[in-house]
Amino acid sequence: MTRTGFHVRRARTSDVRNIKDLVEPLVQQRILLGKDLVVLFESVQEFRVAVDDETGDVIGCGALHVIWEDLGEIRTLAVADGHLGAGVGHALLGALEDDARELGIRRLFCLTFEVDFFQRHGFEHTGEQLLVDQDAYLELLRSPDEGVAEFLDLSRVKPNTLGNSRMMKTL
């Protein structure tokens, strides 16, 4: 996928440290959930990156994490400050939605402070409703993934989710 001045591609292991550097300020501001470097390496296949065509720098990133058979989460969507408003987030989200469709995912979830951005892209507030059936919920409780715990709105992750909006989009 190519846009003016940047392109979006699958992340490579050589991008992981750049992803970490890009998201760290947002982690410090408690906008994104922090991830250890090893976790980023383990999940690199979930990521897309936006790369500046001139410099080769990673200027944005985002990940699609499969939660359940028809449900995925948009995670770690971030754009470098100097590139906000240039369509980078839009291009990343579009690529992640394409990935979701390819995997057979019909619903996308996100937990975000960027409500306006996600609303412009078809996401809607979910409120506190349970977004999976009881059997899936019980299976998901077994996941060690903090993002899944956030999706389930478990009390142990409440400090990470304060002020975030739970949003969903049907593809």
Side-chain angles (χ1 to χ4, degrees):
M1 178 179 284
T2 302
R3 299 280 191 267
T4 306
F6 68 92
H7 63 280
V8 174
R9 63 165 169 77
R10 290 203 175 278
R12 302 173 183 142
T13 56
S14 59
D15 297 320
V16 170
R17 292 179 194 281
N18 294 322
I19 291 169
K20 177 85 169 158
D21 291 344
L22 179 66
V23 301
E24 192 58 33
L26 300 172
V27 171
Q28 295 303 318
Q29 296 171 44
R30 299 183 58 86
I31 292 171
L32 289 179
L33 185 64
K35 292 182 175 65
D36 291 327
L37 196 57
V38 67
V39 173
L40 291 172
F41 274 111
E42 290 172 342
S43 61
V44 69
Q45 70 278 0
E46 297 181 352
F47 276 86
R48 294 283 184 157
V49 291
V51 179
D52 185 292
D53 289 335
E54 188 174 314
T55 65
D57 294 339
V58 172
I59 58 171
C61 65
L64 170 67
H65 182 77
V66 176
I67 293 180
W68 198 243
E69 64 188 312
D70 69 334
L71 180 64
E73 180 183 6
I74 300 296
R75 293 183 169 182
T76 321
L77 187 60
V79 176
D81 284 339
H83 297 275
L84 292 171
V88 176
H90 173 79
L92 284 163
L93 183 56
L96 295 170
E97 288 180 359
D98 289 344
D99 291 346
R101 287 183 189 93
E102 187 176 320
L103 289 168
I105 293 172
R106 295 181 332 209
R107 298 180 301 151
L108 290 175
F109 165 81
C110 70
L111 189 62
T112 185
F113 289 105
E114 298 296 332
V115 172
D116 291 340
F117 172 82
F118 282 99
Q119 281 181 325
R120 286 192 309 270
H121 290 87
F123 284 74
E124 298 176 353
H125 288 275
T126 63
E128 300 301 317
Q129 67 182 339
L130 186 60
L131 302 171
V132 292
D133 64 34
Q134 189 64 27
D135 289 338
Y137 179 86
L138 292 173
E139 284 294 323
L140 290 171
L141 282 174
R142 298 173 183 216
S143 175
D145 186 277
E146 288 296 301
V148 172
E150 288 179 331
F151 168 76
L152 296 175
D153 205 23
L154 300 180
S155 60
R156 68 180 169 87
V157 294
K158 290 288 187 186
N160 295 334
T161 62
L162 292 176
N164 283 355
S165 292
R166 300 167 61 82
M167 301 185 81
M168 179 75 72
K169 178 179 183 175
T170 301
L171 298 176

Short mmCIF file of all heavy atoms in Angstrom, two decimals, residues 109 111 128-130 132 134 136-162 166:
data_model
loop_
_atom_site.label_atom_id
_atom_site.label_comp_id
_atom_site.label_asym_id
_atom_site.label_seq_id
_atom_site.Cartn_x
_atom_site.Cartn_y
_atom_site.Cartn_z
N PHE A 109 -12.28 -4.77 17.47
CA PHE A 109 -12.41 -4.09 18.75
C PHE A 109 -11.20 -3.19 18.95
O PHE A 109 -10.10 -3.50 18.48
CB PHE A 109 -12.45 -5.16 19.86
CG PHE A 109 -12.24 -4.62 21.24
CD1 PHE A 109 -13.28 -4.03 21.93
CD2 PHE A 109 -11.01 -4.72 21.87
CE1 PHE A 109 -13.09 -3.54 23.22
CE2 PHE A 109 -10.80 -4.24 23.15
CZ PHE A 109 -11.85 -3.65 23.82
N LEU A 111 -9.62 -0.35 22.17
CA LEU A 111 -9.74 0.38 23.43
C LEU A 111 -8.89 1.61 23.24
O LEU A 111 -7.67 1.50 23.06
CB LEU A 111 -9.22 -0.50 24.58
CG LEU A 111 -9.46 -0.01 25.99
CD1 LEU A 111 -10.95 0.09 26.29
CD2 LEU A 111 -8.81 -0.97 26.97
N GLU A 128 -20.54 -1.27 28.08
CA GLU A 128 -20.07 -2.36 28.94
C GLU A 128 -20.58 -3.73 28.49
O GLU A 128 -20.38 -4.72 29.19
CB GLU A 128 -20.51 -2.09 30.38
CG GLU A 128 -19.96 -0.79 30.96
CD GLU A 128 -18.44 -0.74 30.97
OE1 GLU A 128 -17.81 -1.74 31.32
OE2 GLU A 128 -17.90 0.33 30.60
N GLN A 129 -21.24 -3.79 27.34
CA GLN A 129 -21.82 -5.06 26.91
C GLN A 129 -20.76 -6.12 26.65
O GLN A 129 -19.66 -5.81 26.21
CB GLN A 129 -22.68 -4.86 25.67
CG GLN A 129 -21.90 -4.47 24.43
CD GLN A 129 -22.78 -4.23 23.23
OE1 GLN A 129 -23.90 -4.72 23.19
NE2 GLN A 129 -22.28 -3.49 22.26
N LEU A 130 -21.09 -7.37 26.95
CA LEU A 130 -20.21 -8.49 26.67
C LEU A 130 -20.25 -8.74 25.17
O LEU A 130 -21.32 -8.89 24.59
CB LEU A 130 -20.67 -9.72 27.45
CG LEU A 130 -19.77 -10.93 27.37
CD1 LEU A 130 -18.38 -10.61 27.93
CD2 LEU A 130 -20.38 -12.08 28.16
N VAL A 132 -18.75 -11.23 23.43
CA VAL A 132 -18.64 -12.64 23.02
C VAL A 132 -19.64 -13.43 23.86
O VAL A 132 -20.07 -12.98 24.93
CB VAL A 132 -17.22 -13.21 23.22
CG1 VAL A 132 -16.23 -12.55 22.26
CG2 VAL A 132 -16.75 -13.06 24.65
N GLN A 134 -21.00 -16.62 26.26
CA GLN A 134 -20.47 -17.09 27.54
C GLN A 134 -19.38 -18.15 27.36
O GLN A 134 -18.39 -18.14 28.09
CB GLN A 134 -21.62 -17.64 28.41
CG GLN A 134 -21.21 -17.96 29.83
CD GLN A 134 -20.77 -16.73 30.62
OE1 GLN A 134 -21.18 -15.61 30.36
NE2 GLN A 134 -19.93 -16.94 31.61
N ALA A 136 -17.25 -18.52 24.84
CA ALA A 136 -16.03 -17.84 24.40
C ALA A 136 -15.42 -17.05 25.55
O ALA A 136 -14.20 -17.05 25.73
CB ALA A 136 -16.33 -16.92 23.22
N TYR A 137 -16.24 -16.40 26.34
CA TYR A 137 -15.77 -15.65 27.49
C TYR A 137 -14.96 -16.54 28.43
O TYR A 137 -13.85 -16.19 28.86
CB TYR A 137 -16.95 -15.01 28.23
CG TYR A 137 -16.55 -14.22 29.45
CD1 TYR A 137 -16.18 -12.89 29.34
CD2 TYR A 137 -16.55 -14.80 30.71
CE1 TYR A 137 -15.80 -12.15 30.46
CE2 TYR A 137 -16.17 -14.07 31.83
CZ TYR A 137 -15.80 -12.75 31.70
OH TYR A 137 -15.43 -12.04 32.81
N LEU A 138 -15.50 -17.72 28.72
CA LEU A 138 -14.81 -18.64 29.62
C LEU A 138 -13.48 -19.11 29.03
O LEU A 138 -12.50 -19.26 29.77
CB LEU A 138 -15.71 -19.84 29.95
CG LEU A 138 -16.94 -19.48 30.80
CD1 LEU A 138 -17.87 -20.70 30.93
CD2 LEU A 138 -16.54 -18.95 32.16
N GLU A 139 -13.41 -19.31 27.74
CA GLU A 139 -12.14 -19.67 27.09
C GLU A 139 -11.16 -18.50 27.14
O GLU A 139 -9.98 -18.69 27.40
CB GLU A 139 -12.39 -20.10 25.64
CG GLU A 139 -12.96 -21.48 25.50
CD GLU A 139 -12.01 -22.58 25.95
OE1 GLU A 139 -10.78 -22.45 25.73
OE2 GLU A 139 -12.48 -23.56 26.54
N LEU A 140 -11.65 -17.31 26.86
CA LEU A 140 -10.78 -16.14 26.84
C LEU A 140 -10.19 -15.83 28.22
O LEU A 140 -9.10 -15.26 28.31
CB LEU A 140 -11.53 -14.92 26.29
CG LEU A 140 -11.84 -14.98 24.80
CD1 LEU A 140 -12.77 -13.83 24.41
CD2 LEU A 140 -10.57 -14.95 23.98
N LEU A 141 -10.89 -16.21 29.27
CA LEU A 141 -10.36 -16.01 30.62
C LEU A 141 -9.03 -16.75 30.82
O LEU A 141 -8.23 -16.36 31.65
CB LEU A 141 -11.36 -16.50 31.68
CG LEU A 141 -12.53 -15.58 31.96
CD1 LEU A 141 -13.50 -16.27 32.92
CD2 LEU A 141 -12.07 -14.25 32.53
N ARG A 142 -8.77 -17.76 30.02
CA ARG A 142 -7.54 -18.54 30.13
C ARG A 142 -6.33 -17.84 29.49
O ARG A 142 -5.20 -18.22 29.70
CB ARG A 142 -7.71 -19.89 29.43
CG ARG A 142 -8.77 -20.74 30.03
CD ARG A 142 -8.99 -21.97 29.18
NE ARG A 142 -10.05 -22.78 29.71
CZ ARG A 142 -10.06 -24.09 29.68
NH1 ARG A 142 -9.06 -24.75 29.15
NH2 ARG A 142 -11.08 -24.74 30.17
N SER A 143 -6.58 -16.82 28.69
CA SER A 143 -5.51 -16.14 27.97
C SER A 143 -4.63 -15.34 28.94
O SER A 143 -5.15 -14.59 29.77
CB SER A 143 -6.07 -15.20 26.92
OG SER A 143 -5.02 -14.46 26.32
N PRO A 144 -3.30 -15.47 28.81
CA PRO A 144 -2.40 -14.65 29.63
C PRO A 144 -2.20 -13.24 29.06
O PRO A 144 -1.55 -12.41 29.69
CB PRO A 144 -1.09 -15.44 29.57
CG PRO A 144 -1.12 -16.10 28.23
CD PRO A 144 -2.58 -16.44 27.98
N ASP A 145 -2.77 -12.96 27.92
CA ASP A 145 -2.57 -11.68 27.22
C ASP A 145 -3.31 -10.54 27.94
O ASP A 145 -4.51 -10.62 28.17
CB ASP A 145 -3.08 -11.83 25.78
CG ASP A 145 -2.77 -10.63 24.94
OD1 ASP A 145 -3.55 -9.65 25.01
OD2 ASP A 145 -1.77 -10.65 24.22
N GLU A 146 -2.57 -9.49 28.27
CA GLU A 146 -3.16 -8.34 28.96
C GLU A 146 -4.22 -7.65 28.11
O GLU A 146 -5.20 -7.12 28.63
CB GLU A 146 -2.08 -7.34 29.37
CG GLU A 146 -1.22 -7.82 30.52
CD GLU A 146 -2.01 -8.01 31.81
OE1 GLU A 146 -2.61 -7.05 32.31
OE2 GLU A 146 -2.00 -9.15 32.30
N GLY A 147 -4.03 -7.62 26.80
CA GLY A 147 -5.01 -7.01 25.92
C GLY A 147 -6.34 -7.75 25.94
O GLY A 147 -7.41 -7.13 25.86
N VAL A 148 -6.29 -9.06 26.03
CA VAL A 148 -7.52 -9.85 26.14
C VAL A 148 -8.18 -9.55 27.48
O VAL A 148 -9.41 -9.40 27.55
CB VAL A 148 -7.24 -11.36 25.95
CG1 VAL A 148 -8.48 -12.19 26.25
CG2 VAL A 148 -6.74 -11.62 24.53
N ALA A 149 -7.39 -9.41 28.54
CA ALA A 149 -7.95 -9.04 29.84
C ALA A 149 -8.63 -7.67 29.76
O ALA A 149 -9.69 -7.47 30.36
CB ALA A 149 -6.85 -9.04 30.89
N GLU A 150 -8.02 -6.75 29.01
CA GLU A 150 -8.64 -5.44 28.83
C GLU A 150 -9.95 -5.57 28.05
O GLU A 150 -10.95 -4.94 28.37
CB GLU A 150 -7.70 -4.49 28.10
CG GLU A 150 -6.55 -4.03 28.96
CD GLU A 150 -5.61 -3.10 28.23
OE1 GLU A 150 -5.48 -3.21 27.00
OE2 GLU A 150 -5.00 -2.26 28.90
N PHE A 151 -9.93 -6.40 27.00
CA PHE A 151 -11.15 -6.64 26.22
C PHE A 151 -12.26 -7.17 27.11
O PHE A 151 -13.41 -6.74 27.02
CB PHE A 151 -10.86 -7.63 25.08
CG PHE A 151 -12.10 -8.14 24.42
CD1 PHE A 151 -12.79 -7.35 23.52
CD2 PHE A 151 -12.58 -9.41 24.70
CE1 PHE A 151 -13.96 -7.81 22.92
CE2 PHE A 151 -13.73 -9.88 24.09
CZ PHE A 151 -14.43 -9.07 23.20
N LEU A 152 -11.93 -8.10 28.00
CA LEU A 152 -12.92 -8.70 28.90
C LEU A 152 -13.30 -7.76 30.03
O LEU A 152 -14.22 -8.04 30.79
CB LEU A 152 -12.38 -10.01 29.48
CG LEU A 152 -12.13 -11.13 28.47
CD1 LEU A 152 -11.48 -12.32 29.16
CD2 LEU A 152 -13.41 -11.53 27.75
N ASP A 153 -12.57 -6.63 30.16
CA ASP A 153 -12.84 -5.63 31.19
C ASP A 153 -12.66 -6.21 32.59
O ASP A 153 -13.44 -5.94 33.50
CB ASP A 153 -14.24 -5.05 31.01
CG ASP A 153 -14.38 -3.66 31.59
OD1 ASP A 153 -13.35 -2.96 31.73
OD2 ASP A 153 -15.52 -3.26 31.91
N LEU A 154 -11.60 -7.02 32.76
CA LEU A 154 -11.33 -7.63 34.05
C LEU A 154 -10.81 -6.59 35.04
O LEU A 154 -10.08 -5.68 34.67
CB LEU A 154 -10.31 -8.76 33.90
CG LEU A 154 -10.72 -9.90 32.95
CD1 LEU A 154 -9.62 -10.94 32.89
CD2 LEU A 154 -12.04 -10.52 33.37
N SER A 155 -11.16 -6.74 36.30
CA SER A 155 -10.82 -5.75 37.31
C SER A 155 -9.32 -5.56 37.46
O SER A 155 -8.87 -4.46 37.76
CB SER A 155 -11.45 -6.11 38.65
OG SER A 155 -10.98 -7.37 39.08
N ARG A 156 -8.51 -6.60 37.20
CA ARG A 156 -7.06 -6.47 37.39
C ARG A 156 -6.41 -5.52 36.39
O ARG A 156 -5.30 -5.08 36.60
CB ARG A 156 -6.39 -7.84 37.33
CG ARG A 156 -6.42 -8.51 35.98
CD ARG A 156 -5.71 -9.88 36.07
NE ARG A 156 -5.91 -10.67 34.90
CZ ARG A 156 -5.15 -10.62 33.82
NH1 ARG A 156 -4.12 -9.80 33.79
NH2 ARG A 156 -5.40 -11.38 32.78
N VAL A 157 -7.10 -5.18 35.31
CA VAL A 157 -6.52 -4.25 34.33
C VAL A 157 -7.21 -2.90 34.33
O VAL A 157 -6.91 -2.04 33.51
CB VAL A 157 -6.53 -4.84 32.89
CG1 VAL A 157 -5.61 -6.03 32.81
CG2 VAL A 157 -7.93 -5.16 32.43
N LYS A 158 -8.13 -2.68 35.26
CA LYS A 158 -8.86 -1.40 35.30
C LYS A 158 -7.94 -0.18 35.32
O LYS A 158 -8.22 0.80 34.63
CB LYS A 158 -9.81 -1.36 36.50
CG LYS A 158 -10.99 -2.27 36.38
CD LYS A 158 -11.97 -1.76 35.36
CE LYS A 158 -13.21 -2.63 35.40
NZ LYS A 158 -14.15 -2.30 34.36
N PRO A 159 -6.82 -0.19 36.05
CA PRO A 159 -5.96 1.00 36.03
C PRO A 159 -5.42 1.32 34.63
O PRO A 159 -5.15 2.46 34.32
CB PRO A 159 -4.81 0.63 36.98
CG PRO A 159 -5.39 -0.39 37.89
CD PRO A 159 -6.37 -1.16 37.05
N ASN A 160 -5.29 0.31 33.77
CA ASN A 160 -4.81 0.53 32.40
C ASN A 160 -5.88 1.10 31.48
O ASN A 160 -5.56 1.63 30.43
CB ASN A 160 -4.32 -0.79 31.78
CG ASN A 160 -3.11 -1.34 32.47
OD1 ASN A 160 -2.34 -0.62 33.07
ND2 ASN A 160 -2.96 -2.64 32.40
N THR A 161 -7.14 0.93 31.85
CA THR A 161 -8.22 1.26 30.93
C THR A 161 -9.01 2.50 31.33
O THR A 161 -9.94 2.87 30.63
CB THR A 161 -9.18 0.07 30.79
OG1 THR A 161 -9.78 -0.21 32.06
CG2 THR A 161 -8.46 -1.16 30.28
N LEU A 162 -8.66 3.12 32.44
CA LEU A 162 -9.42 4.28 32.90
C LEU A 162 -9.42 5.39 31.85
O LEU A 162 -8.38 5.82 31.38
CB LEU A 162 -8.84 4.81 34.22
CG LEU A 162 -9.01 3.89 35.42
CD1 LEU A 162 -8.31 4.49 36.64
CD2 LEU A 162 -10.47 3.65 35.72
N ARG A 166 -14.30 1.86 24.77
CA ARG A 166 -14.37 0.55 24.13
C ARG A 166 -15.17 0.73 22.84
O ARG A 166 -16.31 1.18 22.88
CB ARG A 166 -15.04 -0.45 25.06
CG ARG A 166 -14.30 -0.62 26.37
CD ARG A 166 -15.12 -1.36 27.41
NE ARG A 166 -15.48 -2.71 27.00
CZ ARG A 166 -14.69 -3.76 27.10
NH1 ARG A 166 -13.48 -3.62 27.61
NH2 ARG A 166 -15.09 -4.95 26.70
#
